[in-house]
Amino acid sequence: MTAHFQEPYIPPEAPHPLPIAQAWALLGGISPKQFMKEYWQKKPLLVRGAIPAFNLAKAAGTPLASPLSFDELKQLANQKDVESRLVKSSPWSLEHGPFFSKKIPGLQERAWTLLVQGVNGHHPLAQRVMSWFRFIPEARLDDLMISIAGPKGGVGPHMDSYDVFLIQMAGRRRWKISAQKDKTLVKDLPLKILKNFKATDDWVLEPGDMLYLPPNMAHDGIALDGGCQTWSVGFRVPNYRELVNEILWRTTEALENDPALNKLYTDPDQAATLDPALVPEELVKVIRKQLNSLQWSKSDVSCTLAGILSEPKPQTVFYPPEDLLDLESFKKAIYQRGLELSPRSKSLYDKDFFYLNGESMSDSEAPDWAYWCELGKKQQLNNKKCSQLAALIDSEDNPWFESYQAGWLILKKA
């Protein structure tokens, strides 16, 4: 039998600004505002036909394939700068990539799943899908993972500590979910698989369907077809300890340059003591006073969070442009073509400072502030904006040019 070629689905680019007050097919006919109010971190949402193009093409007799092919995913899984895992369920095993193509089972082999992490940083179509969800703050967005599996492939019943949108892009997957509180795991396995999973809901998702799950919702997805692809948009969940520790650490760095704290302790009023091992009361009083004088303004906290949460993951690698332009050629190129964020870059800002990949780029008093903010909102600057920006880039140590050299910013395609 001859296999019929299927055109791949081409995800559309998200509009700017996103129409967050209007009903979206992606969210089952409700608006992002309504979704965030009624579902986000509260309850699951199953959306049939979240991507209408799949059902329309199927009805026309020309079903669509996933935007990324099996071969493309295998190529990604073979790269050192791409996080990938291979899970087999009979018996359970877990291997970490990179993987040679021969290592990955065929599409009709049973009970295996290939997980490719951070695909939005490596493929523009995955980045487009990721951009659909930018009605949720960038500080919370993490990455897009693609799982491809043979029949009966899955990673077992488990819980995630984060929200996730599960988009079916190829084949069918059966999802079972439960709001159970029992988190007991099967012992001596390389995966965190729930021992006493008891499903309360059971659905089969077809291409174009989507399932949203809030944190700690037990779920189990089993591929029903070879080549089953599920695209998972996941979210960051830093805990308070991590954030507070980081803020305190950065505060400590800032205090190193405080002249008042560089003074030596003095105690001219210290009396003679019969208990020399006792911590002096005056020392406690002075240090307590110094600690109580430390205050964090809203701006201190927000700009520090922007720096922390815009830092790339440790495994993220940026590559300089192959044909690196000098300063004047760069200014001419952005005037003609415009600029955009590298899909691996992350930008965040507050009312005072703009951060890119954990580094401060500009502040609200700087002449280029508005351009950085627009780049953060839209993830790109058109050539008209760049023609104005070019006049402000006057040296090779300018953050715009340095970010281009580092691969954090890239020229838009001509």
Side-chain angles (χ1 to χ4, degrees):
M1 182 181 292
T2 303
H4 295 287
F5 173 76
Q6 294 182 336
E7 289 286 346
Y9 169 65
I10 306 299
E13 294 189 15
H16 297 288
L18 289 173
I20 60 173
Q22 298 178 18
W24 288 20
L26 183 69
L27 299 175
I30 64 174
S31 69
K33 283 189 172 183
Q34 185 179 350
F35 170 81
M36 297 301 287
K37 183 177 181 180
E38 297 180 10
Y39 291 92
W40 176 253
Q41 299 229 315
K42 302 174 186 70
K43 58 184 179 181
L45 176 64
L46 172 66
V47 182
R48 298 292 186 188
I51 304 176
F54 280 95
N55 283 340
L56 292 172
K58 183 178 179 181
T62 55
L64 294 170
S66 169
L68 271 73
S69 68
F70 184 35
D71 285 341
E72 288 176 299
L73 290 174
K74 287 194 290 185
Q75 289 171 12
L76 285 173
N78 191 32
Q79 294 180 203
K80 291 182 179 180
D81 61 345
V82 176
E83 184 182 351
S84 59
R85 291 164 288 164
L86 182 62
V87 176
K88 295 181 181 179
S89 58
S90 185
W92 288 109
S93 66
L94 170 65
E95 296 180 72
H96 294 270
F99 299 106
F100 289 114
S101 181
K102 294 179 181 179
K103 180 71 176 179
I104 300 170
L107 290 180
Q108 298 308 318
E109 292 186 51
R110 299 169 72 83
W112 66 271
T113 299
L114 175 68
L115 305 169
V116 185
Q117 205 80 39
V119 184
N120 53 297
H122 300 273
H123 199 288
L125 296 184
Q127 175 67 3
R128 282 191 190 179
V129 171
M130 189 79 170
S131 72
W132 297 350
F133 297 90
R134 294 190 78 231
F135 60 86
I136 298 165
E138 189 76 29
R140 295 283 272 114
L141 279 170
D142 190 8
D143 71 354
L144 188 151
M145 180 186 77
I146 296 179
S147 68
I148 186 166
K152 301 294 183 181
V155 297
H158 64 284
M159 288 185 184
D160 293 321
S161 59
Y162 52 85
D163 305 80
V164 64
F165 292 91
L166 302 161
I167 308 167
Q168 198 62 26
M169 285 290 192
R172 299 168 301 153
R173 186 179 290 273
R174 184 180 185 181
W175 284 105
K176 296 180 179 182
I177 71 169
S178 170
Q180 67 188 59
K181 302 301 181 184
D182 186 349
K183 298 183 180 181
T184 307
L185 301 177
V186 180
K187 293 182 179 180
D188 302 321
L189 288 183
L191 299 156
K192 293 182 178 180
I193 295 177
L194 294 170
K195 182 178 181 181
N196 303 311
F197 178 66
K198 296 179 180 179
T200 55
D201 294 278
D202 186 336
W203 303 295
V204 173
L205 269 64
E206 302 204 11
D209 293 343
M210 184 179 76
L211 177 62
Y212 161 75
L213 296 177
N216 299 313
M217 178 68 63
H219 54 288
D220 185 21
I222 302 294
L224 300 182
D225 305 304
C228 168
Q229 272 195 46
T230 303
W231 291 30
S232 305
V233 176
F235 294 81
R236 297 183 68 170
V237 281
N239 63 44
Y240 294 123
R241 177 182 55 78
E242 291 173 346
L243 294 178
V244 170
N245 279 349
E246 186 68 21
I247 289 173
L248 290 174
W249 178 76
R250 294 186 183 215
T251 301
T252 301
E253 281 194 323
L255 292 178
E256 290 181 2
N257 299 318
D258 187 334
L261 294 177
N262 283 324
K263 294 180 180 179
L264 298 177
Y265 169 70
T266 60
D267 54 355
D269 299 323
Q270 176 64 54
T273 180
L274 292 173
D275 192 354
L278 184 67
V279 177
E281 184 63 30
E282 183 62 22
L283 177 58
V284 173
K285 181 180 177 181
V286 170
I287 297 302
R288 186 166 178 262
K289 182 180 178 181
Q290 292 287 354
L291 289 172
N292 287 338
S293 70
L294 298 177
Q295 295 184 2
W296 289 272
S297 68
K298 181 180 178 181
S299 177
D300 291 334
V301 174
S302 63
C303 76
T304 305
L305 287 174
I308 296 168
L309 296 176
S310 65
E311 288 185 348
K313 292 181 178 180
Q315 64 269 27
T316 303
V317 179
F318 292 92
Y319 297 98
E322 290 184 5
D323 299 316
L324 192 63
L325 302 177
D326 61 31
L327 179 62
E328 291 306 315
S329 299
F330 168 72
K331 292 167 67 173
K332 183 178 180 181
I334 66 172
Y335 175 84
Q336 295 173 335
R337 295 162 55 181
L339 267 178
E340 61 187 11
L341 281 177
S342 162
R344 304 179 197 186
S345 287
K346 197 173 189 71
S347 66
L348 292 173
Y349 65 94
D350 67 356
K351 65 183 182 66
D352 296 312
F353 295 96
F354 186 99
Y355 282 82
L356 177 60
N357 295 333
E359 300 289 337
S360 179
M361 294 287 120
S362 185
D363 62 65
S364 58
E365 301 297 321
D368 64 353
W369 172 252
Y371 299 102
W372 282 112
C373 291
E374 180 157 344
L375 179 72
K377 290 177 183 176
K378 298 183 178 180
Q379 300 192 308
Q380 61 178 350
L381 285 177
N382 61 32
N383 60 334
K384 182 178 180 181
K385 291 286 185 181
C386 285
S387 68
Q388 302 163 2
L389 171 64
L392 303 175
I393 303 174
D394 55 5
S395 66
E396 292 189 350
D397 60 359
N398 182 280
W400 292 92
F401 186 59
E402 288 187 333
S403 297
Y404 156 74
Q405 291 178 306
W408 294 5
L409 299 177
I410 57 179
L411 295 170
K412 295 178 72 174
K413 291 183 179 179

